[in-house]
Amino acid sequence: MSVRTQSSEQSAEAAHRAGFACFVGRPNAGKSTLTNALVGKKVAITSNRPQTTRHTVRGIVHRPDAQLILVDTPGLHKPRTLLGERLNDVVRTTWAEVDVIGFCLPANEKLGPGDRFIAKELAGIKRTPKVAVVTKTDLVDSKALAEQLIAIDRLGKELGIEWAEIIPVSAVGDRQVNLLADLLIPLLPEGPALYPEGDLTDEPEQVMVAELIREAALEGVRDELPHSIAVVVEEMLPREDRPADKPLLDIHANIYIERPSQKGIIIGPKGRRLKDVGIKSRKQIEALLGTPVFLDLHVKVAKDWQRDPKQLRKLGF
């Protein structure tokens, strides 16, 4: 078993490589946080609630000798709704199209049925190289980490998966994040850069803005709400009659929930929660877009949208 803990030297003459990698793992395995750490800027939404990533957000890591494009998929899970089934289809399609798969397994949780469910699916994808990424290593001691590494090696052998690498990382503690990129890049095909220098993601800005609002809306709400929130940015327009040195971007967005009873949870007593959501997400949006923003948020009910194909389409799924 080769476990990497220090940087591998690359030859100075190496050809330029460019390609796609995706992180998979059960919900809340640290995939989005890892994407953000590698790109060095917030591109995927992170939340301590499972199942928050719904869009294939690509983060782009630029190196002089390579371009690594990260595709962030929703967590694969046993679906209970039409939305759940669609999310799983997105995951499988993504796996079939990337050059390398990083399987994220948290260091602080024993391997469980969810990990095994994904590993079995991965075993069926023969040609794509797979790297086992042990996340959240800042939360365990060296003995627990060693046990997890052995368990992952054993899981691979049992299911016939040959790990290209097994690498422990901590995105929060910034441990071995660059090494992970060093190990993923040689697994990419040789070729020119696929995106212009300076691009960090190919998600349309409106989708990223919606995700940042959704992330703020998810913070601190009760457990039944994570799946029930969708955000649609209706328009983003520069405010007219502003001096060139003082631009302002008007953003109008709707937060959709499934039931009228959920409205009060999002809005909060005297509208305080919604105001907090606005303040938090506006800061993030301004940092992302580099311009002052006026954010107008409304909460609307889209009855049982997760089970209704027409509503799913309207909300972008």
Side-chain angles (χ1 to χ4, degrees):
M1 170 174 85
S2 90
V3 176
R4 295 301 194 109
T5 52
Q6 64 218 3
S7 186
S8 46
E9 291 297 310
Q10 287 188 321
S11 72
E13 298 302 306
H16 190 279
R17 292 178 181 274
F20 294 84
C22 78
F23 293 130
V24 306
R26 60 190 153 81
N28 216 14
K31 303 180 292 291
S32 295
T33 309
L34 196 52
T35 299
N36 292 335
L38 277 162
V39 178
K41 183 174 176 179
K42 194 159 185 177
V43 291
I45 76 162
T46 53
S47 161
N48 57 4
R49 310 202 157 277
Q51 265 323 104
T52 49
T53 310
R54 286 190 187 149
H55 292 281
T56 306
V57 179
R58 293 173 171 82
I60 304 168
V61 181
H62 297 273
R63 293 266 184 105
D65 60 337
Q67 192 175 69
L68 174 65
I69 299 140
L70 300 164
V71 185
D72 193 30
T73 59
L76 192 77
H77 61 295
K78 295 207 161 113
R80 288 192 297 274
T81 62
L82 179 62
L83 173 65
E85 283 170 29
R86 289 205 181 164
L87 292 180
N88 279 358
D89 290 343
V90 168
V91 178
R92 292 194 188 95
T93 309
T94 305
W95 293 2
E97 290 170 353
V98 296
D99 301 297
V100 56
I101 296 172
F103 184 17
C104 294
L105 299 135
N108 62 328
E109 294 172 36
K110 289 210 166 2
L111 300 187
D115 300 311
R116 192 166 282 276
F117 172 68
I118 293 167
K120 278 184 179 154
E121 292 265 343
L122 283 179
I125 297 170
K126 296 295 181 202
R127 288 203 302 269
T128 314
K130 296 157 201 76
V131 173
V133 185
V134 188
T135 58
K136 309 187 184 186
T137 57
D138 52 306
L139 301 178
V140 297
D141 59 20
S142 53
K143 180 175 177 286
L145 178 58
E147 283 169 6
Q148 187 71 321
L149 292 170
I150 291 163
I152 290 165
D153 185 49
R154 200 177 289 140
L155 178 69
K157 288 198 170 89
E158 188 190 312
L159 295 174
I161 300 172
E162 196 176 318
W163 303 118
E165 306 279 356
I166 298 178
I167 173 169
V169 300
S170 165
V172 175
D174 198 22
R175 283 187 220 152
Q176 306 226 110
V177 172
N178 281 333
L179 172 59
L180 175 59
D182 292 346
L183 297 177
L184 292 173
I185 283 164
L187 300 169
L188 302 177
E190 290 183 9
L194 301 168
Y195 288 87
E197 181 86 41
D199 277 15
L200 293 174
T201 172
D202 76 346
E203 276 287 313
E205 282 178 346
Q206 256 169 267
V207 173
M208 293 184 71
V209 166
E211 287 287 83
L212 288 171
I213 295 167
R214 194 161 159 267
E215 179 179 28
L218 279 173
E219 253 175 62
V221 294
R222 294 214 302 263
D223 289 341
E224 72 267 25
L225 280 194
H227 302 311
S228 304
I229 298 175
V231 175
V232 176
V233 173
E234 297 297 336
E235 59 177 16
M236 285 171 47
L237 295 168
R239 174 90 50 100
E240 287 177 13
D241 309 325
R242 294 283 292 194
D245 59 340
K246 287 190 180 165
L248 184 67
L249 186 67
D250 284 318
I251 298 179
H252 300 279
N254 290 328
I255 299 173
Y256 288 96
I257 43 155
E258 292 198 295
R259 293 189 294 283
S261 60
Q262 296 169 336
K263 215 167 174 174
I265 300 173
I266 295 288
I267 293 171
K270 297 189 176 164
R272 279 199 297 268
R273 257 211 100 248
L274 189 62
K275 194 176 172 191
D276 279 353
V277 170
I279 292 166
K280 272 189 191 136
S281 54
R282 187 171 54 84
K283 278 190 190 141
Q284 300 267 15
I285 293 163
E286 289 180 339
L288 174 77
L289 302 178
T291 182
V293 161
F294 171 79
L295 183 60
D296 175 39
L297 292 180
H298 292 275
V299 181
K300 298 192 168 190
V301 178
K303 200 166 170 337
D304 291 333
W305 64 263
Q306 292 189 65
R307 295 167 196 283
D308 178 347
K310 213 155 90 186
Q311 303 247 43
L312 279 172
R313 270 200 303 281
K314 184 187 159 195
L315 298 176
F317 296 110

